[in-house]
Amino acid sequence: MPPSEFTLIYRYFSALGRGAAVDLSVGDDCAILRLAPGERLAASVDTVVEGVHFPADSFPEDIGYRAVAVAASDLAAVGARPLGMTLALTLPEADEFWLHSFSQGVAAAVSEYELPLVGGDTTRGPLAVTVQVLGALPADRALLRDGAQSGDAVYVSGTLGDAAAALAFLNGTWQPPAAAGEYLLQRFHRPRARIALGRELLERGATAAIDISDGLLADAGHIARASGVKICIEPDRLPLSPALRTGVTQAGVSREQVLRWALAGGDDYELCFCLPPTQPAPADCTCIGRVEDGSGLDWGNDAGIDIDAGYQHF
Ligand code: ADP
Ligand code: MG
């Protein structure tokens, strides 16, 4: 007889629920989390669907890690301290090999982000993973999209375009050298939520921030719109990984295609943020432009590169 829903939950998920803010974890009708006096609760939810957000043949361990990282990235973007998460899992069948591997990916993210799994729901259906994240913010501060000021410097963390290049590799559009391909696939399957950076930016008085899920142009565009400013991006300054650069130098990919991945690719889960010009650059971050009076984005599109703005489901 296949194991019951409760046996599965107990076996794979109930050990991941301990954390500093957790009063009650998996097993009752609700979890109970503790906020420090004066703190506010930050909440966000993200669903990933097989065949839409990740390829159908992804390793279950990567699916688990990535689902949590993608959701936790929203906590990073507002500068919240992780408190805990819940996981709604829809599975076509109770495949224990799959569940074991998936839960190991979830466990890696739980420990990396100090984000205990405090509850969830388990149902049968086409594979989909929903992660709700909960975090704590001080009473008087959050990194939002609407605070960018003319004169601010615009930054991104890490490198851009890697995940889009990985998807193009998976689709057979190009063939990177083996080591570069490995690296890029890792960047797609194991994005890093920039939790520590988000908290640092909150301390430093960053004026606006967003995580790059839909592509730099789409997401920086959200900051420009919400803040009522123009954001000017210099494409030559975009940080590219050595693996992506090999596309241009060794794999016959045009510079234009690489720029398209970096500007519009999405799935990198880096942070784009604005800092007053007096602030030094945080570690592992690159200044890519500045905020000006006006509206919209200016990325030198007179260069004639044709770019679709970010991914839209409908
Ligand atoms: P209820 O019927 O009250 O919603 P469930 O039977 O759905 O309760 O779940 C029982 C317990 O197991 C709850 O504490 C719930 O939060 C937890 N749970 C269910 N599915 C998961 C999951 N995929 N991951 C973590 N906890 C889960
Ligand atoms: Mg339930």
Side-chain angles (χ1 to χ4, degrees), residues 47-56 58 66 127-128 167 188 267 311-313:
T47 296
V48 291
V49 175
E50 182 176 56
V52 178
H53 300 94
F54 59 88
S58 299
R66 188 169 180 281
L127 180 58
L167 283 176
F188 175 81
D267 288 323
Y311 185 81
Q312 304 238 341
H313 284 272

Side-chain angles (χ1 to χ4, degrees), residues 145-154 206-208 223-224 226-232 273-278 289-296:
R145 300 175 179 188
D146 65 2
Q149 303 279 332
S150 180
D152 286 349
V154 180
T207 54
I223 292 184
S227 300
V229 295
K230 175 157 91 175
I231 292 190
C232 303
F273 56 93
C274 301
L275 277 180
T278 49
R290 69 201 171 278
V291 180
E292 292 185 358
D293 290 328
S295 65

Side-chain angles (χ1 to χ4, degrees), residues 5 120-122:
E5 176 189 330
D121 198 27
T122 308

Side-chain angles (χ1 to χ4, degrees), residues 262-287:
L263 283 167
D267 288 323
D268 284 319
Y269 297 97
E270 297 293 349
L271 296 184
C272 173
F273 56 93
C274 301
L275 277 180
T278 49
Q279 287 270 347
D284 194 27
C285 294
T286 306
C287 180

Side-chain angles (χ1 to χ4, degrees), residues 124-152:
R124 184 193 289 262
L127 180 58
V129 186
T130 296
V131 175
Q132 180 197 44
V133 289
L134 303 166
L137 280 170
D140 58 345
R141 259 172 310 149
L143 292 177
L144 302 179
R145 300 175 179 188
D146 65 2
Q149 303 279 332
S150 180
D152 286 349

Side-chain angles (χ1 to χ4, degrees), residues 199-266:
R199 296 182 66 187
E200 180 188 338
L201 294 176
L202 187 68
E203 289 302 313
R204 285 222 210 168
T207 54
I210 192 166
D211 64 320
I212 303 175
S213 53
D214 295 333
L216 176 66
L217 292 184
D219 290 318
H222 292 313
I223 292 184
R225 207 165 309 114
S227 300
V229 295
K230 175 157 91 175
I231 292 190
C232 303
I233 292 169
E234 295 177 47
D236 286 339
R237 291 202 189 182
L238 297 182
L240 303 178
S241 66
L244 194 51
R245 286 178 197 279
T246 65
V248 180
T249 55
Q250 294 174 40
V253 176
S254 68
R255 180 180 166 279
E256 199 175 307
Q257 175 60 264
V258 168
L259 267 187
R260 216 175 270 132
W261 286 331
L263 283 167

